[in-house]
Amino acid sequence: MAAPLTVILFGATGDLAKRKLIPGLLHLFQSHLLDDMRVVGTSLDDLSVDDFKDLALRAIREHSTRTLKDEDWNHFSQRLDYVPLSAGPEALKAAVLRAEEELPGDDELRLHYLSVPPKAALAAVSTIAAAGLVERSRIIMEKPFGTDYASAVKLNRQLHEVFDESQIFRIDHFLGKEAAQNILAFRFANGLFEPIWHRNNIDHIQIDVPETLGLTQRGDFYEATGAYRDMVVTHLFQVLAFTAMEPPSALEPAAINREKTKVFRSMSPIEPTNVIRGQYVGYRQEPGVAPDSETETFVALKCYIDNWRWAGVPFFLRTGKRMGEGARIISIAFKEPPRSMFPAGSGVGDHGPDHLTFDLSDQPRMSLSFYGKRPGPGYRLDKLSMQFAMKDTTWAGSVLEAYERLIYDAARGDSTLFASANGIERLWEISQPLLDNPPIVRPYDQGSWGPNQIHQLVSPFGWRLPFERKWREPS
């Protein structure tokens, strides 16, 4: 359990705070995971405490997926306070000290959540330092962590002038999802799968995160970022590390982070010839976007991990805006066995290799496909599958949403699901060849699956999305 906690929420009136953070904090309070908690909100908006409570209640009613009881809200709202940034560091410190006076014991912690744009992050850190709120504190940083190798090194150096690395939690909400964490359990707890998680048995791996959403009024931010910086470095590479890491010596943060960093250090630099960049038609007409913009809203790439386990196995990553479907999958394609014993027309190999698929959505699922014989005379094979869905279990009600899990972990000081300074700097280092010499941006239609060149990138394989066969719903 976490110690008594004061959450200082920077950007408390912003979109992320209203959609995820405030409803998430309420649920952590309701579930008694963080019941000794106070929340001090701060932002550029000049609100009173009552105004902030009204904003929080509206956000919870609009965005929370859980039932709100009047009794829970009454208890939670008493734990909310607000200070506009214009009031200065001393006013923020006074609010935090008031909150701590209400907490039991004398081992209170402070959790600073920086739900602010990247350009405002260091200003928030300066405010924390000026207010004298660094002691007994941890800080959660939102992505992206720099825009290239030099900026990442500089950002980490500036952060370390105020906070020790052990106090810094660089958040990636993808890793907060149950399905992402289930990869570790699936791999390392099952004697059936760990021995075959190897280049001898695996043909290739796909991590595919298409989005149907557009910019949602983030044109200025996206113009300076693009799909690669926004999604690949901070999300997809982190998922890749969980998929590819060696068994840790223990299920604890330092051991797991060591193995993740080893994956990043083994990755070959990203070759521009192995990258497809795209931009959806109509992007240049979005608010805040330059009429001649070359920013990519789509990226697909092939990369390699040059170590004993993965040498020669391609990893294909894809993500983009305004695509045909929203999904988050990891697909492991196994090598096909010799087919010599099967007669012509048997159907073996007709549907491609066997796949193990993880769906990282809010309703996590996994599927294992394989060939089986159709009933009847002769020898006709078809593709079958075994599927598991979390919602079909008695555990479904215990699932924490990604931000809830990560806030709770940070409150406990568990950095397993967070990015380290060394890991982030290494990812920017291997990205530098691409950033220095990016390939041209190719147009793609909204509602499509990206530029046509993506098929050349993945050849002789095919993209798993869109799925030929839909997930089965329980009967």
Side-chain angles (χ1 to χ4, degrees), residues 224-411:
T225 308
Y228 185 83
R229 290 179 171 91
D230 184 41
M231 290 291 292
V232 176
V233 175
T234 51
H235 289 324
L236 274 63
F237 281 158
Q238 301 295 329
V239 174
L240 180 150
F242 264 53
T243 308
M245 64 188 278
E246 295 295 320
S249 59
L251 198 63
E252 53 91 14
I256 291 174
N257 281 321
R258 275 196 300 271
E259 298 306 330
K260 286 169 58 182
T261 301
K262 287 180 185 178
V263 172
F264 299 145
R265 295 209 171 278
S266 299
M267 289 179 67
S268 302
I270 306 301
E271 296 291 341
T273 54
N274 288 334
V275 179
I276 305 296
R277 298 168 70 230
Q279 185 185 93
Y280 67 77
V281 176
Y283 170 77
R284 293 177 178 178
Q285 284 73 54
E286 299 275 14
V289 173
D292 57 351
S293 173
E294 292 296 314
T295 299
E296 81 279 357
T297 62
F298 169 97
V299 64
L301 62 98
K302 176 169 60 175
C303 61
Y304 293 93
I305 300 171
D306 189 15
N307 63 15
W308 189 265
R309 184 182 292 261
W310 296 112
V313 176
F315 286 72
F316 298 100
L317 281 57
R318 177 174 65 169
T319 186
K321 300 285 188 184
R322 297 288 189 193
M323 296 185 68
E325 182 183 325
R328 299 163 184 167
I329 72 154
I330 304 170
S331 188
I332 317 293
F334 294 99
K335 290 185 176 179
E336 298 187 62
R339 308 177 191 176
S340 55
M341 64 176 285
F342 295 99
S346 66
V348 65
D350 286 356
H351 299 285
D354 300 335
H355 284 90
L356 174 63
T357 303
F358 295 88
D359 183 341
L360 307 186
S361 67
D362 293 332
Q363 297 290 339
R365 297 172 288 191
M366 62 181 70
S367 170
L368 178 63
S369 67
F370 53 91
Y371 284 96
K373 180 184 175 299
R374 288 185 184 179
Y379 224 94
R380 181 67 180 169
L381 304 181
D382 208 344
K383 212 56 179 288
L384 308 173
S385 68
M386 293 186 292
Q387 296 186 6
F388 160 82
M390 185 69 74
K391 66 180 180 180
D392 296 335
T393 71
T394 56
W395 315 329
S398 302
V399 174
L400 291 176
E401 292 188 0
Y403 281 99
E404 296 169 358
R405 169 62 187 264
L406 294 168
I407 291 171
Y408 179 59
D409 282 359

Side-chain angles (χ1 to χ4, degrees), residues 203-215:
D203 194 75
H204 64 279
I205 292 175
Q206 293 183 24
I207 301 174
D208 208 348
V209 187
E211 298 181 294
T212 57
L213 297 175
L215 300 188

Side-chain angles (χ1 to χ4, degrees), residues 6 35 53 69 134-135 139 215 219-220 260 277 292 309 311 325 380 397 405 427 430 451 456 473:
T6 300
D35 49 0
K53 290 181 179 181
K69 298 178 181 178
V134 176
E135 185 183 6
I139 181 170
L215 300 188
D220 293 339
K260 286 169 58 182
R277 298 168 70 230
D292 57 351
R309 184 182 292 261
E325 182 183 325
R380 181 67 180 169
R405 169 62 187 264
L427 290 176
I430 65 171
Q456 300 169 16
E473 295 298 328

